[in-house]
Each structure stands twice: as structure tokens, then as C-alpha cells.
Amino acid sequence: MSSINLFPTFEYSQPDEYHFSHDSVFLARRVFEFLRDKNIDPKTALDLCAGSGVIGLDLMFHLRTAGKNRPQVFDFLDVQDQYRNHFEENVRRLGTVQTKLQFINCNYADENIGKLADTYDLIVCNPPYFSMDQGKLPVSNLKLRSRFFVDSDLESLFAFIDKRLSQQGFAFVLIRNQLEHKQNQLSVVQELCNGKLHLKVLDDVRGTDVVLLSRISRI
């Protein structure tokens, strides 16, 4: 994919100390194109590790602009409540979408999160790319927990997706190989999904894989 966002949506509110990467807007556009081209109409959706809600709200913008149906419920889950005000401002800037949009401040590794739907037809996720032993740790706690697996780990993330993805659902996750740290993260993810979820690499976004997960090989 191009390193330039060819499909801008709106100007996001986000913390001064940590801005989303362009990977997020590229993922939103790729998910939109997938849903449009396959004529898929998810009723429930989740932005996992949502931050300020950029991926999910960007996707809603594209669906509305194209005159496509939007999910009836779109939840946004993040462990850091500092993002809530920015999410709410972004919802205001997005405008009317006739979808229930909800920010949920919780750790996906928790066993029971009452505000979540039992399952989702669509999950989008741009997770932390690094573990705590990879690279220099940021001074900012917000930036640290956004970029590094502090509160959980990759295994718990994919266990959550496996638990919450509906039988007919699709999950889109960004996976970055940490070659400088001699870690093939895609291979780790393939192992975690083995026997549980079908995995397909859709695209490469500036060195990051767009991974599609489903219950069976449907695409």
C-alpha cells in the first residue's frame, strides 16, 4: 500500500503525547473495501485496543460516504481511560451515523466484561507491536501502554478474539514482525490460531501485515 493516505476522512482528536500511526487509517480503508467488495453487512463490531477510536470511526465514515449499512452496535475497547474524551470528541466530529457507539474502559484479558456483546461479526485491531523487552521504553505511560504489551500479551489478545468472534465473523489485525529483535510475530500468531481460527494475510501496510481471521476458510 501507498505510504500516503489517499482517502482522508476527518481531523481526529488525540492526546498530544501519543498520536495514532497511519497504519490505523490504512486498516480502516482496507476493511471498508473488503466489506464493500464482498457485500458483507456486520451487525455488531468491535474496535479492540481502540485508543481514540480512529480505526472504527474511520470505517464508519467510509461506510456512510458509500451509502452502505453500518453496524447496529460498534464498541470501542481500550485499557486506558485517558482516551475516552478524545473518543467522544471524535464521535462528535464524525457526526450522525445511526449506530450505538460505546467506549469501554477495560482490559481484554479480564474474564468478564459486562458491557461487551457476547460475539462480534467484525473485529478490527491495531494492537501494541512490542513486548517489554524490545527497545527503549517511553517515559509517557500512555505511550508505553499503547505501543508495548504492558497489561496483557499477544496470546491473551488472540484468545479474546477467538472467544468473541461470531461464527460468521471476520477479524482484521495488524501484525508487525520484529526482525530487529529476531522475532517472527506472524509465525507466533499462526501458532496461536492453529486449530482455532483460519488466518490469511491480506496485505502489507508499510511493513505491517494485515491479517484476516475467520472461523473457517471462507475467503
Side-chain angles (χ1 to χ4, degrees), residues 114-129:
K115 293 182 179 180
L116 288 178
D118 290 335
T119 60
Y120 292 93
D121 301 324
L122 174 67
I123 297 175
V124 294
C125 181
N126 185 4
Y129 287 158

Side-chain angles (χ1 to χ4, degrees), residues 20-120:
F20 70 90
S21 73
H22 285 291
D23 298 354
S24 294
V25 295
F26 289 132
L27 178 61
R29 181 67 192 186
R30 185 65 181 89
V31 174
F32 161 72
E33 292 172 352
F34 179 91
L35 297 177
R36 178 197 63 191
D37 296 347
K38 303 295 182 182
N39 197 28
I40 295 171
D41 185 15
K43 298 297 186 292
T44 54
L46 173 68
D47 188 339
L48 180 57
C49 305
S52 303
V54 171
I55 299 174
L57 298 179
D58 222 40
L59 174 58
M60 294 291 288
F61 181 98
H62 290 310
L63 290 170
R64 183 182 62 189
T65 300
K68 298 293 184 181
N69 290 334
R70 274 82 76 193
Q72 297 169 2
V73 173
F74 209 135
D75 290 335
F76 295 75
L77 178 65
D78 200 278
V79 72
Q80 301 192 81
D81 200 46
Q82 297 99 311
Y83 281 118
R84 184 187 299 273
N85 289 341
H86 297 281
F87 167 79
E88 291 174 351
E89 173 60 19
N90 287 331
V91 169
R92 187 192 69 78
R93 294 183 185 185
L94 174 64
T96 304
V97 289
Q98 296 179 331
T99 294
K100 180 183 177 183
L101 304 172
Q102 176 179 222
F103 183 90
I104 300 170
N105 173 221
C106 204
N107 188 339
Y108 58 75
D110 292 347
E111 282 297 317
N112 298 300
I113 308 175
K115 293 182 179 180
L116 288 178
D118 290 335
T119 60
Y120 292 93

